[in-house]
Amino acid sequence: MREFAESPQVAKYDATKGGHFAWHSDIGHGLAAGKRKLTLVLQLSNPDTYDGGDLEIRPSAQIQMANRAQGSVSVFPSFALHQVTLIKRGIRRSLTVWAHGPAFR
Ligand SMILES: O=C(O)CCC(=O)C(=O)O
Ligand SMILES: [Fe+2]
C-alpha cells in the first residue's frame, strides 16, 4: 500500500429514489482506479433510520453483510465483488476511501 490517490467519496442511498448499487468490483480503468487495492467503507448513518441498503461483500462463495453500526468501517480487497441492496426506508450515507499500490502479484 503506497498512497490514497483518490478523494474520499460520499454516497447517498435514498429510499424514495430506489437507491442501491449493483454487484461490482472497485478495480476501474482510470489511472488511480486501476491501482485500487483496498476499499474502506465507513457507515455514516444511524441504522435505525433506514431499512435495506445493506453493504454485502462476496470475497468468496459466501456473502458477508457489513456491520450497519454508525461509525463502523468495512475493509475488503477492492477486487472483491460487493453490492448495496435496495434501500426500502430512509436514507443511508457512506464514505468510501480507496488505498492504492502496485499491481497484485
Ligand atoms: O456505499 C457503500 O456501502 C459502498 C459504495 C461502493 O461500493 C463504491 O462506491 O464503490
Ligand atoms: Fe464499490
Side-chain angles (χ1 to χ4, degrees):
M1 232 49 61
R2 294 204 179 139
E3 55 184 341
F4 295 94
E6 294 171 84
S7 301
Q9 170 196 279
V10 175
K12 180 181 173 187
Y13 303 88
D14 187 334
T16 67
K17 294 178 181 162
H20 72 288
F21 200 151
W23 287 109
H24 67 283
S25 131
D26 284 349
I27 309 290
H29 296 293
L31 215 53
K35 293 189 299 175
R36 291 173 178 170
K37 289 291 161 304
L38 282 183
T39 299
L40 303 89
V41 178
L42 169 64
Q43 300 280 15
L44 295 177
S45 299
N46 178 337
D48 297 338
T49 64
Y50 65 93
D51 292 323
D54 282 304
L55 172 59
E56 295 183 339
I57 305 151
R58 242 198 92 166
S60 61
Q62 204 142 344
I63 295 176
Q64 294 175 17
M65 196 184 110
N67 188 339
R68 287 165 61 92
Q70 194 171 28
S72 71
V73 177
S74 300
V75 183
F76 52 90
S78 297
F79 61 74
L81 285 176
H82 53 285
Q83 72 165 344
V84 178
T85 63
L86 183 68
I87 184 159
K88 302 197 170 120
R89 174 183 65 94
I91 291 172
R92 169 182 177 261
R93 287 188 174 82
S94 65
L95 184 137
T96 300
V97 175
W98 294 279
H100 303 75
F104 283 112
R105 293 175 273 187

